[in-house]
Amino acid sequence: MKDYWKWLLLIPVIAGAVIAGYLITGWLSQGDGGSATDTGVQNQAIQLEISDKQQVIDKTKALVANDASDTLALENLGNAYLELGMLQTEDGDVNGSFRSYKAAADAYQRYLQLMPDDADVRIDLGYTYYNLLMFEVAERELKAVTEAAPSNQRGWHVYGVVLNRLEKTDEAKAAWQHSYDLDPNSTIGQESKQFMEQAGSGMLRAP
């Protein structure tokens, strides 16, 4: 069959469906077996996501190794590491998440050496610093974004999250108000409105 490669592409999909079916069947067979079963299923799902994300990282690292100036690969590598770190945080892997966030920051920094005016990646870098608990560094990075790209709604929103974590509540509210005013009907605008109402509550998660 000359199109055998199409079946190879379907293998991960089929395997995923089989695994998902197994997990769902196991869960249903337990009926109301309690939260332990639910937690086990959730943990397995997270582990599958972590494994998938690591495969993406391995492939993207190879692209960067082949061409260090491949900006798309560098951005994708940063995004993959950031997402992996968030999954590891959810899984309770503090050391693993720290390594992933650090790798994300490194990839974004390399990207910005080539594309210094990309506000969206600067926001991602600032949010990565936030996840590394480098709040003052994140604040400086995101403040620079709002000055260079004042119409970037996400920049204002994430800036507000960092300011709120630093207990600069009034400044955080002002940042979220700016975000909301840019586009009240967008998802980020609605979240900025919600965050204004929750200001002072401590750790809030940026989109």
Side-chain angles (χ1 to χ4, degrees):
M1 291 172 57
K2 65 180 182 179
D3 292 334
Y4 73 95
W5 58 271
K6 294 181 180 179
W7 289 102
L8 295 179
L9 294 176
L10 286 173
I11 289 174
V13 177
I14 296 170
V18 171
I19 293 171
Y22 173 78
L23 293 175
I24 292 170
T25 302
W27 177 70
L28 291 174
S29 68
Q30 295 297 320
D32 296 325
S35 60
T37 300
D38 296 340
T39 302
V41 172
Q42 182 180 10
N43 289 342
Q44 291 184 52
I46 293 174
Q47 290 302 318
L48 286 172
E49 289 188 70
I50 288 174
S51 177
D52 289 344
K53 195 62 62 179
Q54 189 60 63
Q55 291 181 36
V56 171
I57 287 171
D58 292 341
K59 292 177 181 178
T60 311
K61 283 173 66 177
L63 293 175
V64 172
N66 184 59
D67 182 1
S69 64
D70 187 337
T71 53
L72 178 59
L74 282 168
E75 181 181 4
N76 289 339
L77 184 61
N79 292 341
Y81 269 122
L82 177 57
E83 292 165 5
L84 177 61
M86 295 171 72
L87 287 168
Q88 291 168 323
T89 297
E90 186 177 356
D91 195 42
D93 183 359
V94 176
N95 293 332
S97 65
F98 178 84
R99 289 192 295 269
S100 295
Y101 291 139
K102 179 63 169 60
D106 291 344
Y108 288 141
Q109 289 165 353
R110 291 175 63 185
Y111 173 93
L112 288 167
Q113 289 176 352
L114 300 169
M115 304 286 288
D117 297 327
D118 192 323
D120 289 321
V121 172
R122 283 206 176 276
I123 295 168
D124 292 332
L125 177 59
Y127 185 45
T128 302
Y129 288 143
Y130 171 83
N131 281 290
L132 283 167
L133 309 184
M134 300 169 62
F135 302 124
E136 290 80 7
V137 179
E139 178 187 14
R140 290 196 296 271
E141 191 70 42
L142 290 161
K143 181 179 181 180
V145 170
T146 61
E147 292 172 347
S151 63
N152 191 306
Q153 187 178 36
R154 190 166 70 98
W156 286 103
H157 181 78
V158 182
Y159 186 37
V161 171
V162 174
L163 291 168
N164 185 70
R165 186 62 180 80
L166 289 168
E167 299 183 353
K168 298 181 178 182
T169 307
D170 290 341
E171 294 178 52
K173 287 182 177 179
W176 286 325
Q177 184 66 57
H178 200 124
S179 167
Y180 178 76
D181 290 342
L182 283 170
D183 188 352
N185 297 318
S186 69
T187 299
I188 293 177
Q190 288 298 307
E191 288 187 351
S192 292
K193 179 180 179 182
Q194 178 184 351
F195 281 18
M196 276 190 282
E197 297 170 354
Q198 298 174 353
S201 64
M203 187 78 73
L204 289 171
R205 190 168 182 175

PDB file of all heavy atoms in Angstrom, residues 141-157:
ATOM      1  N   GLU A 141       9.737  43.299  33.006  1.00  0.00           N
ATOM      2  CA  GLU A 141       9.542  42.833  31.628  1.00  0.00           C
ATOM      3  C   GLU A 141       8.175  43.263  31.097  1.00  0.00           C
ATOM      4  O   GLU A 141       8.054  43.755  29.965  1.00  0.00           O
ATOM      5  CB  GLU A 141       9.671  41.315  31.579  1.00  0.00           C
ATOM      6  CG  GLU A 141       9.742  40.730  30.189  1.00  0.00           C
ATOM      7  CD  GLU A 141      11.045  41.044  29.474  1.00  0.00           C
ATOM      8  OE1 GLU A 141      12.113  40.978  30.110  1.00  0.00           O
ATOM      9  OE2 GLU A 141      10.978  41.361  28.260  1.00  0.00           O
ATOM     10  N   LEU A 142       7.153  43.095  31.903  1.00  0.00           N
ATOM     11  CA  LEU A 142       5.790  43.384  31.449  1.00  0.00           C
ATOM     12  C   LEU A 142       5.508  44.885  31.418  1.00  0.00           C
ATOM     13  O   LEU A 142       4.740  45.358  30.573  1.00  0.00           O
ATOM     14  CB  LEU A 142       4.792  42.651  32.336  1.00  0.00           C
ATOM     15  CG  LEU A 142       4.833  41.132  32.119  1.00  0.00           C
ATOM     16  CD1 LEU A 142       4.209  40.390  33.292  1.00  0.00           C
ATOM     17  CD2 LEU A 142       4.136  40.761  30.818  1.00  0.00           C
ATOM     18  N   LYS A 143       6.130  45.626  32.318  1.00  0.00           N
ATOM     19  CA  LYS A 143       5.988  47.083  32.248  1.00  0.00           C
ATOM     20  C   LYS A 143       6.559  47.594  30.941  1.00  0.00           C
ATOM     21  O   LYS A 143       5.964  48.468  30.274  1.00  0.00           O
ATOM     22  CB  LYS A 143       6.702  47.749  33.430  1.00  0.00           C
ATOM     23  CG  LYS A 143       6.575  49.270  33.430  1.00  0.00           C
ATOM     24  CD  LYS A 143       7.273  49.889  34.639  1.00  0.00           C
ATOM     25  CE  LYS A 143       7.115  51.408  34.631  1.00  0.00           C
ATOM     26  NZ  LYS A 143       7.788  52.039  35.785  1.00  0.00           N
ATOM     27  N   ALA A 144       7.717  47.043  30.540  1.00  0.00           N
ATOM     28  CA  ALA A 144       8.330  47.434  29.267  1.00  0.00           C
ATOM     29  C   ALA A 144       7.414  47.100  28.093  1.00  0.00           C
ATOM     30  O   ALA A 144       7.317  47.863  27.119  1.00  0.00           O
ATOM     31  CB  ALA A 144       9.678  46.742  29.103  1.00  0.00           C
ATOM     32  N   VAL A 145       6.700  45.964  28.187  1.00  0.00           N
ATOM     33  CA  VAL A 145       5.771  45.579  27.118  1.00  0.00           C
ATOM     34  C   VAL A 145       4.634  46.588  27.008  1.00  0.00           C
ATOM     35  O   VAL A 145       4.275  47.023  25.905  1.00  0.00           O
ATOM     36  CB  VAL A 145       5.204  44.165  27.370  1.00  0.00           C
ATOM     37  CG1 VAL A 145       4.052  43.879  26.403  1.00  0.00           C
ATOM     38  CG2 VAL A 145       6.282  43.112  27.207  1.00  0.00           C
ATOM     39  N   THR A 146       4.058  46.982  28.144  1.00  0.00           N
ATOM     40  CA  THR A 146       2.924  47.919  28.105  1.00  0.00           C
ATOM     41  C   THR A 146       3.346  49.284  27.583  1.00  0.00           C
ATOM     42  O   THR A 146       2.538  50.001  26.991  1.00  0.00           O
ATOM     43  CB  THR A 146       2.295  48.074  29.500  1.00  0.00           C
ATOM     44  OG1 THR A 146       3.262  48.592  30.427  1.00  0.00           O
ATOM     45  CG2 THR A 146       1.770  46.743  30.010  1.00  0.00           C
ATOM     46  N   GLU A 147       4.616  49.632  27.789  1.00  0.00           N
ATOM     47  CA  GLU A 147       5.117  50.915  27.278  1.00  0.00           C
ATOM     48  C   GLU A 147       5.390  50.838  25.785  1.00  0.00           C
ATOM     49  O   GLU A 147       5.121  51.790  25.045  1.00  0.00           O
ATOM     50  CB  GLU A 147       6.382  51.326  28.036  1.00  0.00           C
ATOM     51  CG  GLU A 147       6.127  51.685  29.496  1.00  0.00           C
ATOM     52  CD  GLU A 147       7.406  51.906  30.283  1.00  0.00           C
ATOM     53  OE1 GLU A 147       8.490  51.542  29.754  1.00  0.00           O
ATOM     54  OE2 GLU A 147       7.336  52.427  31.410  1.00  0.00           O
ATOM     55  N   ALA A 148       5.934  49.703  25.340  1.00  0.00           N
ATOM     56  CA  ALA A 148       6.281  49.549  23.921  1.00  0.00           C
ATOM     57  C   ALA A 148       5.072  49.196  23.059  1.00  0.00           C
ATOM     58  O   ALA A 148       5.014  49.548  21.883  1.00  0.00           O
ATOM     59  CB  ALA A 148       7.358  48.473  23.759  1.00  0.00           C
ATOM     60  N   ALA A 149       4.116  48.467  23.647  1.00  0.00           N
ATOM     61  CA  ALA A 149       2.931  48.024  22.896  1.00  0.00           C
ATOM     62  C   ALA A 149       1.674  48.275  23.741  1.00  0.00           C
ATOM     63  O   ALA A 149       1.056  47.336  24.240  1.00  0.00           O
ATOM     64  CB  ALA A 149       3.055  46.550  22.537  1.00  0.00           C
ATOM     65  N   PRO A 150       1.301  49.544  23.915  1.00  0.00           N
ATOM     66  CA  PRO A 150       0.191  49.877  24.812  1.00  0.00           C
ATOM     67  C   PRO A 150      -1.170  49.343  24.382  1.00  0.00           C
ATOM     68  O   PRO A 150      -2.101  49.305  25.193  1.00  0.00           O
ATOM     69  CB  PRO A 150       0.199  51.413  24.829  1.00  0.00           C
ATOM     70  CG  PRO A 150       0.895  51.806  23.564  1.00  0.00           C
ATOM     71  CD  PRO A 150       1.911  50.743  23.310  1.00  0.00           C
ATOM     72  N   SER A 151      -1.287  48.906  23.132  1.00  0.00           N
ATOM     73  CA  SER A 151      -2.577  48.368  22.671  1.00  0.00           C
ATOM     74  C   SER A 151      -2.651  46.855  22.819  1.00  0.00           C
ATOM     75  O   SER A 151      -3.655  46.248  22.427  1.00  0.00           O
ATOM     76  CB  SER A 151      -2.802  48.748  21.202  1.00  0.00           C
ATOM     77  OG  SER A 151      -1.806  48.171  20.367  1.00  0.00           O
ATOM     78  N   ASN A 152      -1.620  46.241  23.382  1.00  0.00           N
ATOM     79  CA  ASN A 152      -1.624  44.787  23.579  1.00  0.00           C
ATOM     80  C   ASN A 152      -2.385  44.462  24.858  1.00  0.00           C
ATOM     81  O   ASN A 152      -1.886  44.650  25.964  1.00  0.00           O
ATOM     82  CB  ASN A 152      -0.192  44.252  23.654  1.00  0.00           C
ATOM     83  CG  ASN A 152      -0.139  42.734  23.580  1.00  0.00           C
ATOM     84  OD1 ASN A 152      -0.787  42.050  24.343  1.00  0.00           O
ATOM     85  ND2 ASN A 152       0.653  42.211  22.655  1.00  0.00           N
ATOM     86  N   GLN A 153      -3.580  43.952  24.701  1.00  0.00           N
ATOM     87  CA  GLN A 153      -4.460  43.713  25.846  1.00  0.00           C
ATOM     88  C   GLN A 153      -3.897  42.682  26.808  1.00  0.00           C
ATOM     89  O   GLN A 153      -3.953  42.849  28.032  1.00  0.00           O
ATOM     90  CB  GLN A 153      -5.844  43.277  25.361  1.00  0.00           C
ATOM     91  CG  GLN A 153      -6.874  43.164  26.479  1.00  0.00           C
ATOM     92  CD  GLN A 153      -8.236  42.777  25.950  1.00  0.00           C
ATOM     93  OE1 GLN A 153      -8.353  42.001  25.002  1.00  0.00           O
ATOM     94  NE2 GLN A 153      -9.288  43.309  26.559  1.00  0.00           N
ATOM     95  N   ARG A 154      -3.348  41.609  26.280  1.00  0.00           N
ATOM     96  CA  ARG A 154      -2.823  40.558  27.147  1.00  0.00           C
ATOM     97  C   ARG A 154      -1.655  41.062  27.988  1.00  0.00           C
ATOM     98  O   ARG A 154      -1.474  40.648  29.133  1.00  0.00           O
ATOM     99  CB  ARG A 154      -2.397  39.331  26.328  1.00  0.00           C
ATOM    100  CG  ARG A 154      -2.068  38.112  27.185  1.00  0.00           C
ATOM    101  CD  ARG A 154      -1.993  36.845  26.342  1.00  0.00           C
ATOM    102  NE  ARG A 154      -0.829  36.839  25.480  1.00  0.00           N
ATOM    103  CZ  ARG A 154       0.310  36.200  25.776  1.00  0.00           C
ATOM    104  NH1 ARG A 154       0.418  35.519  26.898  1.00  0.00           N
ATOM    105  NH2 ARG A 154       1.314  36.229  24.934  1.00  0.00           N
ATOM    106  N   GLY A 155      -0.864  41.993  27.406  1.00  0.00           N
ATOM    107  CA  GLY A 155       0.243  42.562  28.162  1.00  0.00           C
ATOM    108  C   GLY A 155      -0.234  43.260  29.422  1.00  0.00           C
ATOM    109  O   GLY A 155       0.324  43.068  30.507  1.00  0.00           O
ATOM    110  N   TRP A 156      -1.280  44.056  29.303  1.00  0.00           N
ATOM    111  CA  TRP A 156      -1.840  44.748  30.467  1.00  0.00           C
ATOM    112  C   TRP A 156      -2.430  43.764  31.468  1.00  0.00           C
ATOM    113  O   TRP A 156      -2.290  43.930  32.683  1.00  0.00           O
ATOM    114  CB  TRP A 156      -2.900  45.752  30.019  1.00  0.00           C
ATOM    115  CG  TRP A 156      -2.343  46.982  29.387  1.00  0.00           C
ATOM    116  CD1 TRP A 156      -2.297  47.284  28.058  1.00  0.00           C
ATOM    117  CD2 TRP A 156      -1.720  48.078  30.065  1.00  0.00           C
ATOM    118  NE1 TRP A 156      -1.686  48.493  27.854  1.00  0.00           N
ATOM    119  CE2 TRP A 156      -1.332  49.016  29.074  1.00  0.00           C
ATOM    120  CE3 TRP A 156      -1.464  48.367  31.401  1.00  0.00           C
ATOM    121  CZ2 TRP A 156      -0.695  50.220  29.390  1.00  0.00           C
ATOM    122  CZ3 TRP A 156      -0.831  49.565  31.719  1.00  0.00           C
ATOM    123  CH2 TRP A 156      -0.450  50.472  30.724  1.00  0.00           C
ATOM    124  N   HIS A 157      -3.085  42.741  30.944  1.00  0.00           N
ATOM    125  CA  HIS A 157      -3.737  41.775  31.837  1.00  0.00           C
ATOM    126  C   HIS A 157      -2.706  41.010  32.668  1.00  0.00           C
ATOM    127  O   HIS A 157      -2.832  40.903  33.892  1.00  0.00           O
ATOM    128  CB  HIS A 157      -4.572  40.795  31.020  1.00  0.00           C
ATOM    129  CG  HIS A 157      -5.296  39.784  31.854  1.00  0.00           C
ATOM    130  ND1 HIS A 157      -6.453  40.083  32.537  1.00  0.00           N
ATOM    131  CD2 HIS A 157      -5.027  38.485  32.146  1.00  0.00           C
ATOM    132  CE1 HIS A 157      -6.865  39.006  33.198  1.00  0.00           C
ATOM    133  NE2 HIS A 157      -6.002  38.031  32.979  1.00  0.00           N
TER     134      HIS A 157
END
